[in-house]
Amino acid sequence: MNLKHQTLGEFIIENQKNSNYSSGELSKLLNGIGLATKLVNHEVNKAGLVDILGGVGDFNVQGEAQQKLDLMANQTFIDTLTKREIVCGIASEEEESFININSLDLKNKNKYVLLIDPLDGSSNIDVNVSVGTIFSIYKRITPVGTPVELKDFLQEGNKQIAAGYIIFGSSTMLVLTTGQGVNGFTLNPAIGTFYLSHPNMQQPKDGEIYSINEGNSAFFSKGLNEYLDFCKQPQNNKPAYKARYVGSLVADFHRNLIKGGIYMYPQTKIDTKGKLRLLYECNPIAFLAKQAGGEETDGFQSVLEIKPKELHERVPFFTGSSNMVNKLKTFLKEEN
């Protein structure tokens, strides 16, 4: 088959036989995520035409102001996957606790749980800047047929079965890994089908871009600020790195995945544990980075090796081109 004309559904079926999880259940789940993505994409694209922009005057469990699109995306993914009974549990950044999904006979036989950030960077939607969805899939560890428990969700990132993100930009792309590399699919809006557009995505080992909110530099560690100074200096007759920061993890990571670069969201003197969520943001993005030949760290260890203690745990996060991340780690190590 011509890869350029391969659909997401065809890709999932073709690659299912190479997976350790080839029962078809994972394929149904990934196709369900694709369907929910199309529904969210439709709402995002008409956001300026209907009353769906701005905040709702409420806050999520992290104390962050909720946007109307946050709630819409959250409910769309939950409804779509729940009605199809293709997961046994869902944990969302927008929900205080996980959702146990019972099938009609009250004994859900499904093996997978989904963790999701329904709309990353949603505060940017009012100014027409790219936003996204991030998701992570694990095999449950409690017995099939029983209600899911918290421990089904509090698994290390290196136990992920699949992970991905959707970026809603000039085109809508779904970037996916099932542990066998990273592939990107672009939505053809005319017929509502995702086509394989970026097979076997590989992150360059070096890059020229660093992405961080330098407005917080007064609260960064000494080692991190020294690394930022390094980024701004020409090295070996090469120009200094370029600063590029959107403020949406999906948008910043996607650009650096394709062009090469490093993304940084450190702990600060104010946010001493970091700000990004381990389960909904860092683990899936770290899994994708490693599968694409990139690197990831919390500054001292692999994010994927951290044993989560709570659903909404936050950690520092650095990811990107392997040589850039490894160089950063030398600066962070020297300060200790």
Side-chain angles (χ1 to χ4, degrees):
M1 178 180 293
N2 187 336
L3 287 181
K4 292 190 69 175
H5 298 121
Q6 190 174 33
T7 67
L8 173 63
E10 290 167 340
F11 177 89
I12 291 171
I13 292 171
E14 185 173 308
N15 286 270
Q16 180 177 284
K17 60 180 179 290
N18 299 320
S19 171
N20 294 326
Y21 308 94
S22 57
S23 66
E25 187 179 324
L26 180 60
S27 299
K28 291 178 183 178
L29 174 52
L30 293 173
N31 279 312
I33 291 171
L35 174 60
T37 295
K38 296 172 193 177
L39 298 174
V40 173
N41 179 69
H42 178 70
E43 296 298 326
V44 168
N45 285 340
K46 69 177 185 179
L49 302 175
V50 297
D51 183 25
I52 200 170
L53 294 176
V56 295
D58 205 352
F59 298 86
N60 65 14
V61 66
Q62 289 90 28
E64 300 165 336
Q66 285 185 311
Q67 304 293 312
K68 295 176 183 177
L69 278 170
D70 283 323
L71 299 182
M72 177 280 300
N74 185 53
Q75 202 58 51
T76 297
F77 276 100
I78 291 173
D79 287 348
T80 301
L81 299 177
T82 299
K83 290 176 181 176
R84 283 161 179 78
E85 298 179 3
I86 47 181
V87 286
C88 52
I90 298 175
S92 167
E93 184 180 306
E94 299 300 325
E95 302 285 340
E96 184 172 356
S97 186
F98 62 86
I99 300 169
N100 182 54
I101 299 174
N102 288 319
S103 58
L104 294 177
D105 62 1
L106 300 182
K107 289 186 177 181
N108 192 307
K109 297 298 194 297
N110 295 316
K111 298 188 293 288
Y112 300 108
V113 296
L114 175 77
L115 297 98
I116 189 165
D117 179 355
L119 206 62
D120 171 72
S122 58
S123 60
N124 284 326
I125 199 74
D126 288 4
V127 290
N128 206 20
V129 172
S130 296
V131 295
T133 296
I134 309 172
F135 63 90
S136 177
I137 299 170
Y138 293 82
K139 188 175 181 180
R140 66 180 301 174
I141 56 179
T142 53
V144 173
T146 64
V148 291
E149 300 177 21
L150 182 59
K151 61 184 176 182
D152 289 312
F153 300 92
L154 299 185
Q155 299 188 55
E156 295 92 332
N158 55 24
K159 295 181 180 177
Q160 290 174 97
I161 302 304
Y165 63 83
I166 301 100
I167 182 166
F168 304 101
S170 55
S171 61
T172 297
M173 273 190 69
L174 188 158
V175 179
L176 172 70
T177 182
T178 56
Q180 300 171 348
V182 177
N183 293 276
F185 303 83
T186 299
L187 179 66
N188 181 339
I191 57 176
T193 301
F194 280 100
Y195 286 96
L196 179 62
S197 56
H198 295 66
N200 192 29
M201 298 177 75
Q202 290 289 309
Q203 186 157 35
K205 292 187 179 298
D206 284 298
E208 299 178 349
I209 297 170
Y210 71 98
S211 306
I212 190 171
N213 182 2
E214 286 195 82
N216 291 328
S217 61
F219 306 106
F220 292 164
S221 68
K222 179 175 178 288
L224 179 56
N225 275 321
E226 288 177 349
Y227 175 73
L228 295 179
D229 289 340
F230 165 82
C231 291
K232 298 169 189 175
Q233 301 300 319
Q235 302 289 333
N236 300 322
N237 297 319
K238 293 183 179 180
Y241 294 153
K242 304 177 181 70
R244 299 286 186 271
Y245 186 70
V246 175
S248 165
L249 171 58
V250 166
D252 282 311
F253 177 77
H254 185 70
R255 178 197 55 241
N256 292 352
L257 172 62
I258 293 173
K259 293 189 173 183
I262 184 170
Y263 174 88
M264 298 170 278
Y265 210 121
Q267 74 272 41
T268 68
K269 296 174 184 175
I270 297 174
D271 296 310
T272 56
K273 295 182 179 179
K275 200 165 184 181
L276 296 183
R277 266 63 57 161
L278 172 62
L279 294 177
Y280 309 109
E281 297 167 311
C282 302
N283 272 344
I285 294 297
F287 188 26
L288 285 158
K290 294 289 283 188
Q291 285 292 314
E295 266 298 341
E296 50 76 29
T297 181
D298 69 350
F300 305 98
Q301 65 175 321
S302 168
V303 166
L304 297 173
E305 296 176 356
I306 298 174
K307 174 61 179 175
K309 299 180 180 64
E310 56 188 54
L311 277 178
H312 301 287
E313 185 172 343
R314 300 173 189 257
V315 294
F317 189 48
F318 309 88
T319 187
S321 297
S322 57
N323 290 344
M324 299 180 77
V325 174
N326 289 333
K327 184 67 175 180
L328 165 68
K329 288 194 285 189
T330 66
F331 282 85
L332 299 180
K333 184 177 181 180
E334 288 172 359
E335 71 178 353
N336 291 294

